[in-house]
Each structure stands twice: as C-alpha cells, then as structure tokens.
Amino acid sequence: MKFAKEFKDALAREGFPPRWVDSAIPYGLLKKSLKKIATELAQCGLDPAALAKLREISSTGPAYLYDFKGSKFRPTLILRLEQGVTVDARLSADTRRYLEDLVNHHRDLSDVSLSDPASDEGGQIVPIDPSSEIEVERPLVREIEVPLTFDAEFFGLLQGDVENLDALQDEEQRALVAEVGDLSRELVKHSEPSRFKKTDQYRWRELFDVYVQAGIFFSDLEKDHGKRDSVAALKRLQWFQSEVVKRGIVDTFKLSPSRKALNQFISINVTLLRNLQFQEINQKAIAKILKKFDKRTTLGARQTFPRLIQSDVIMTEAMARSTTSMKNSPSFF
C-alpha cells in the first residue's frame, strides 16, 4: 500500500478529532509540489543523473551543496563548478548549456580555488591572487547559486505544517495540564477525613503504584529506560487496566466519586496515547516525504532539514510524568 493512502486511512481509522486531522501533514500536496521540483531540476539539466555526473567529475570536494539559510530556512542549491566543467563531454548537452548560461550570468563573481590540503588553511576555499607567480595546480572553482523556485514552495509548506503541529500540541498540553490539575484537586477531596467519614486514600495509592509499575509512556528503570512508542504504550495501558481489575481496586472504592475520577484518569491516558499516535504518524509522513524528496532530487535534504524544524514529540512523556507526580503530592497522600 502506498504511504499516501496508508496515511489518509490511518487519520480516518484512529478517530482523531477533526481539528487534529486538519493540522496533519498534507502529504498529497507535498507530493504534488515535489513533482514540480523534479520537473524544474530536469528543465535545468540538473536531474539526478546529471548531478551524479557532476559528483563524478568533481576533484575538489562536493560538486554541490544543498542547505537552508536564514530564519525562514530558505533552501539553497550551490553548484561548485570547476574550470572546464561546462564543456565536459560527460555531461548532456542540456546540462552543459544550462551551466554555461549560469556561469555567464554570474561573471561578476570572483573565481576561487581550493588551497593545498597541506597548507595552513587546512583545505578551506581561498581567493585566487591574480598577481601570484605560484603555479595553481588544482582547478579553479566557482560557487554559484541555482535560482530554483519550487523547492522554496515545498519546504515553506512543510515548515508551516510543522509549526501548525507544534501549535496544536501546545494547545493540547495546556488542556491536559488543566485537566490533570482538576483531577488532582478532586482526588484530594476524596482523601480528606474532615469532609468524609470514609476515604479511598490507600486504594488510590495502590492504583498509582500499579500505574508507575506499568510505565505506560516512559520508564526510569535501567533495564528499559526511555520513552515508549505508541504500540508499546497501548500494551502497557491495557496491562494497567487489567491489573486494576485483577486486584479488585475499583470494587473496593468506598466513595462513588472515586469511580468517576478513575474514569477521568483513564481518559487522560487515552488522550495522551492518541496524541502520541498522532505525533508518530506525522513524524513518519515527514520522514517519508523527505526520503522521497532525496530520491527524486539526490540533494540530501534529509541530512539537514530534520535538524532545523521538526515537530517536538516530548509532550506525551512530559504530561505522563505530570500525571504520575500526583502520587507524590503531600496534600493527596
């Protein structure tokens, strides 16, 4: 099954809220934008085959550099053209023609040459001194930016989507923080002897012991330390629920509000699990589209873009720790 359909089906199958689905990575739109990029590069004579030839021809390091500049992460393709490459017979006529036009358009730029690796500059690019009588043995190199359009559209769209996901996550975290606070205050009421003749204090203490043992979203134990993925979290949440039933904790509640509070507690964990599932599927969509970008262009964006902007996935663990911390509240126990 193609990922685009798998992604769409997963968003529908998991029953995420409509506003979550609206904030999901628009994988289909990104695929269409990627086709435009591939076409644009081909029209410039810089399809993957041509870029591979440039890498083969280059004797002074990378034949091209693809990176993101500025606060808006503007994608930039820089060709490092050695002297004579524009007439190299190993390149197609279209590629040679485009490179020649590009060089002619940038005649005002200074030629640069790679220094001798044994020199003090350590292989850095340094300007050529026309008056120097030292024979230059290594090829001259000219660095020229390729004026592309559609890669900026692609990454602008992707960046905006990631920012939307982060905004949604912040909103969900604020809502969960408020809900956890309400639940904590409710549990305190159930353990205040001054208001109730009966208390479920020890039953809630046992329940939280089971919850910590379950380690649904994270573990601090040395043998399995770290965060859980959604598959592992689901299994551990199911174990927690079955263990609570097995121990008969619910049946021994003395206060009817405790049952309602437990349902709310379970609901919070289910929401955390759904958040984790939503984060994971969108992270997978980002990884897939970047992999497809590199396959269609060979520009290597996966090596840089994820480090620059990628949706934060720590919210679930942070909220799970906040939920667990209720066990240690002095006012509660």
Side-chain angles (χ1 to χ4, degrees), residues 29 39 49 56 59 73 155 164 168 170 180-181 194 197 199 208 210 220 229 259 283 291 308:
L29 289 178
T39 299
E56 176 186 325
S59 62
F73 306 120
F155 286 106
N164 289 339
L168 175 65
D170 289 342
V180 169
S194 60
K197 294 181 180 179
T199 178
F208 271 106
V210 176
D220 290 327
D229 61 23
R259 295 176 181 271
Q283 288 286 357
K291 181 178 180 181
L308 296 175

Side-chain angles (χ1 to χ4, degrees), residues 45 48 55 65 96 115 180 205 216 225 258 265 267 305 310:
R55 293 195 300 271
L65 304 170
R96 294 198 303 270
S115 65
V180 169
R205 179 176 293 175
I216 298 172
H225 186 274
S258 285
F265 182 75
S267 176
F305 188 77
Q310 193 170 55

Side-chain angles (χ1 to χ4, degrees), residues 61-75:
Y64 56 87
L65 304 170
Y66 194 71
D67 208 346
F68 299 85
K69 294 184 176 181
S71 59
K72 296 297 183 181
F73 306 120
R74 182 176 69 87

Side-chain angles (χ1 to χ4, degrees), residues 268-320:
I268 289 173
N269 280 272
V270 170
T271 300
L272 285 171
L273 177 61
R274 294 177 74 191
N275 268 279
L276 180 58
Q277 291 169 332
F278 188 70
Q279 292 169 36
E280 286 179 347
I281 193 173
N282 279 281
Q283 288 286 357
K284 185 175 182 180
I286 293 172
K288 286 282 187 180
I289 199 65
L290 288 175
K291 181 178 180 181
K292 189 175 289 290
F293 178 94
D294 283 349
K295 183 177 180 180
R296 296 287 298 274
T297 67
T298 69
L299 293 179
R302 273 188 301 172
Q303 304 303 315
T304 305
F305 188 77
R307 297 199 302 270
L308 296 175
I309 54 171
Q310 193 170 55
S311 184
D312 195 355
V313 295
I314 65 172
M315 189 270 280
T316 300
E317 181 184 357
M319 286 307 307

Side-chain angles (χ1 to χ4, degrees), residues 40-294:
E40 184 177 30
L41 286 170
Q43 290 173 344
C44 295
L46 296 175
D47 59 12
L51 291 174
K53 282 296 182 183
L54 286 173
R55 293 195 300 271
E56 176 186 325
I57 293 169
S58 177
S59 62
T60 58
Y64 56 87
L65 304 170
Y66 194 71
D67 208 346
F68 299 85
K69 294 184 176 181
S71 59
K72 296 297 183 181
F73 306 120
R74 182 176 69 87
T76 306
L77 173 59
I78 302 292
L79 295 182
R80 302 182 67 255
L81 302 177
E82 297 177 6
Q83 190 175 35
V85 72
T86 58
V87 294
D88 195 298
R90 286 171 288 183
L91 298 174
S92 70
D94 288 342
T95 302
R96 294 198 303 270
R97 187 180 306 111
Y98 178 77
L99 295 181
E100 185 66 32
D101 290 343
L102 199 62
V103 169
N104 289 335
H105 183 70
H106 292 80
R107 282 296 181 188
D108 58 325
L109 296 182
S110 299
D111 286 329
V112 296
S113 174
L114 293 181
S115 65
D116 189 327
S119 69
D120 293 338
E121 285 80 4
Q124 296 180 351
I125 297 175
V126 297
I128 289 294
D129 181 0
S131 63
S132 174
E133 297 181 358
I134 300 176
E135 182 180 357
V136 178
E137 297 181 354
R138 305 194 70 185
L140 296 177
V141 176
R142 184 188 291 269
E143 294 192 349
I144 302 178
E145 180 177 344
V146 178
L148 298 176
T149 299
F150 292 112
D151 63 338
E153 174 189 282
F154 176 89
F155 286 106
L157 179 61
L158 185 53
Q159 179 183 359
D161 298 332
V162 171
E163 290 174 351
N164 289 339
L165 286 173
D166 287 340
L168 175 65
Q169 182 170 291
D170 289 342
E171 181 182 341
E172 289 298 316
Q173 182 165 353
R174 287 193 296 270
L176 282 170
V177 166
E179 189 171 0
V180 169
D182 290 342
L183 177 59
S184 181
R185 287 186 289 273
E186 189 68 20
L187 293 180
V188 169
K189 292 179 183 179
H190 304 336
S191 62
E192 289 180 342
S194 60
R195 294 194 58 185
F196 299 100
K197 294 181 180 179
K198 300 177 181 179
T199 178
D200 283 326
Q201 177 181 359
Y202 294 106
R203 290 156 191 81
W204 276 103
R205 179 176 293 175
E206 181 183 3
L207 188 144
F208 271 106
D209 285 340
V210 176
Y211 183 73
V212 172
Q213 183 181 348
I216 298 172
F217 297 104
F218 68 92
S219 173
D220 290 327
L221 299 177
E222 184 176 350
K223 64 178 181 180
D224 61 348
H225 186 274
K227 297 183 292 185
R228 313 291 191 204
D229 61 23
S230 62
V231 175
L234 174 59
K235 291 180 179 179
R236 291 173 184 274
L237 178 57
Q238 291 171 336
W239 178 88
F240 166 71
Q241 291 176 286
S242 64
E243 188 68 13
V244 168
V245 172
K246 179 181 176 181
R247 296 190 183 199
I249 296 176
V250 178
D251 294 334
T252 58
F253 275 147
K254 296 179 179 180
L255 304 174
S256 57
S258 285
R259 295 176 181 271
K260 181 180 178 181
L262 176 58
N263 289 335
Q264 185 180 1
F265 182 75
I266 296 296
S267 176
I268 289 173
N269 280 272
V270 170
T271 300
L272 285 171
L273 177 61
R274 294 177 74 191
N275 268 279
L276 180 58
Q277 291 169 332
F278 188 70
Q279 292 169 36
E280 286 179 347
I281 193 173
N282 279 281
Q283 288 286 357
K284 185 175 182 180
I286 293 172
K288 286 282 187 180
I289 199 65
L290 288 175
K291 181 178 180 181
K292 189 175 289 290
F293 178 94
D294 283 349

